Amino acid sequence: MQRPAPLGGAEFAPETTYLNTAASGLLPRSSADALRAALDESASYGTMGRDYFGPAAAARAAFARLVGLPGERVAVGGSVAVQSALIAASLPPGSEVLAPEGDFSSLVNPLAVRPGITLRTVPLERLAEEVRPQTALVAFSAVQSLDGRIADLAAVREAARTHGARTYLDVTQAAGWLPLRADDFDHVVCGAFKWLLCPRGTTFLAFGREGTSGGEAWPEALHAGWVAGEDLAASNYGPLLRTAPGARRYDEPHAHFSYVAAERSLALIEELGVAAIHAHNTALADRYRAGLAERGLVPRPAPGSAIVSTPGLTDAEPRLTGAGVQVAVREGLLRAAFHLYNSADDVDRLLKLI
């Protein structure tokens, strides 16, 4: 078996064996340097002042390229839950929303608490076959946070189209390592602080179909503030005369420092390439699965995933933490997540300690 070395070169020098990207990714050195410079600049604003929109615009464009969309179909924000609430508010009373059992709360809770709609959950493996004529929206993660299972994207997409349902895809645990295209889904949301290596407070909401969503108009810009105006200079006071064209109408006033670093993080992902990162991450995960099998341990089935969650190992977590190996425990599973800064040595160390 090959021994994958870390990707990213001098961008990463973790002081621990970090195998917890499914919780939060490491910040590349260039991103941290840009953030420090922006913080220093903010103490006096220097002679040029702060460029509030430049880093966010660059990050928006980079994310759009990663998922195969033009930049005008991507909105920036700070919270998947807020963006989910926008999608929930766009549904007419009486709508049925279909979602996998146990999907991440930031995706499904705004849909669950929306008055007048019904959230129905089914096992992930049955999601496509459970779409029915009364289903208005199918909301699901491309990769499950708990155990790394990868949804059958094509099957769910086709089932939704057959029954006239819209699709809302969460790529928080997928973007950055799993090759994806957003143009076949109505709405695509991403918390970028995991596999895309951005700071917390960086999220994207993409609209896969130009000008329409499931044959309907895009949602109303219910939380539109001044950054959602077509003319930013004329959008500071009173109601907006016109919201921006495209998805920028859904922008939140973004966390500037998060996007300063996000610009550099996304540039690194683009430079390395998602295909190369996918091959690297899945090779490490397969190495770990093989090592578990040699020890008679069986992880949750998640073929092709960079996330491996295993029952019966939660008692190893304190021992791993004490040895400087960072993983996570989620609902009785020891979860390890392998990303570009990990190596075969990291996998072997984890196996030796469990």
Side-chain angles (χ1 to χ4, degrees):
M1 184 178 293
Q2 293 183 343
R3 296 187 61 81
L7 304 179
E11 286 284 359
F12 301 100
E15 297 179 0
T16 63
T17 301
Y18 190 77
L19 300 169
N20 199 19
T21 300
S24 183
L26 297 180
L27 202 63
R29 179 168 295 169
S30 59
S31 302
D33 289 345
L35 183 55
R36 291 188 190 97
L39 287 169
D40 290 343
E41 185 271 339
S42 71
S44 67
Y45 285 87
T47 59
M48 299 298 294
R50 177 185 298 170
D51 180 5
Y52 180 64
F53 289 104
R60 183 202 313 272
F63 178 79
R65 289 190 295 270
L66 285 171
V67 297
L69 292 177
E72 58 266 23
R73 297 196 211 171
V74 176
V76 301
S79 166
V80 168
V82 169
Q83 292 166 327
S84 291
L86 172 68
I87 302 305
S90 72
L91 297 170
S95 295
E96 176 188 273
V97 177
L98 181 66
E101 295 173 349
D103 213 322
F104 199 75
S105 294
S106 294
L107 174 70
V108 298
N109 193 60
L111 298 160
V113 301
R114 164 79 159 85
I117 68 174
T118 300
L119 177 67
R120 182 166 64 97
T121 61
V122 299
L124 177 66
E125 293 74 16
R126 296 214 321 264
L127 190 63
E129 65 189 75
E130 289 285 346
V131 183
R132 55 193 187 184
Q134 58 266 50
T135 303
L137 181 75
V138 185
F140 66 111
S141 292
V143 176
Q144 290 292 303
S145 173
L146 176 63
D147 55 20
R149 286 176 296 159
I150 301 174
D152 189 337
L153 301 181
V156 175
R157 179 193 65 215
E158 292 308 312
R161 283 181 176 176
T162 297
H163 293 288
R166 293 154 62 188
T167 47
Y168 181 37
L169 180 67
D170 187 336
V171 299
T172 298
Q173 293 288 2
W177 73 269
L178 186 68
L180 293 163
R181 287 196 63 85
D183 52 2
D184 282 331
F185 298 92
D186 294 295
H187 318 296
V188 176
V189 70
C190 182
F193 65 93
K194 298 178 186 288
W195 304 88
L196 290 176
L197 312 178
C198 299
R200 289 179 181 270
T202 310
T203 66
F204 301 97
L205 179 64
F207 295 82
R209 300 186 186 183
E210 186 173 8
T212 64
S213 182
E216 301 174 5
W218 277 2
E220 294 294 330
L222 296 177
H223 58 251
W226 71 280
V227 297
E230 181 179 41
D231 181 352
L232 293 171
S235 299
N236 290 276
Y237 306 104
L240 297 179
L241 297 178
R242 288 184 301 274
T243 55
R248 191 168 67 76
R249 76 187 76 170
Y250 306 111
D251 277 10
E252 300 173 49
H254 56 271
H256 171 67
F257 295 119
S258 293
Y259 280 89
V260 166
E263 177 183 0
R264 305 300 178 91
S265 295
L266 291 168
L268 176 64
I269 296 291
E270 283 197 281
E271 177 185 342
L272 295 174
V274 172
I277 297 170
H278 174 264
H280 174 86
N281 292 7
T282 54
L284 292 176
D286 287 345
R287 184 182 187 89
Y288 180 51
R289 290 188 183 95
L292 291 173
E294 291 174 359
R295 291 158 174 77
L297 298 167
V298 181
R300 284 273 187 92
S305 182
I307 300 172
V308 183
S309 294
T310 310
L313 288 177
T314 56
D315 60 344
E317 193 270 336
R319 181 168 66 255
L320 291 166
T321 300
V325 178
Q326 294 194 36
V327 291
V329 171
R330 296 290 187 270
E331 296 192 6
L333 302 170
L334 188 77
R335 186 184 70 185
F338 303 94
H339 204 14
L340 59 91
Y341 33 65
N342 295 128
S343 68
D345 289 342
D346 293 340
V347 176
D348 295 348
R349 187 168 188 226
L350 172 60
L351 289 167
K352 183 178 179 180
L353 289 167
I354 59 176

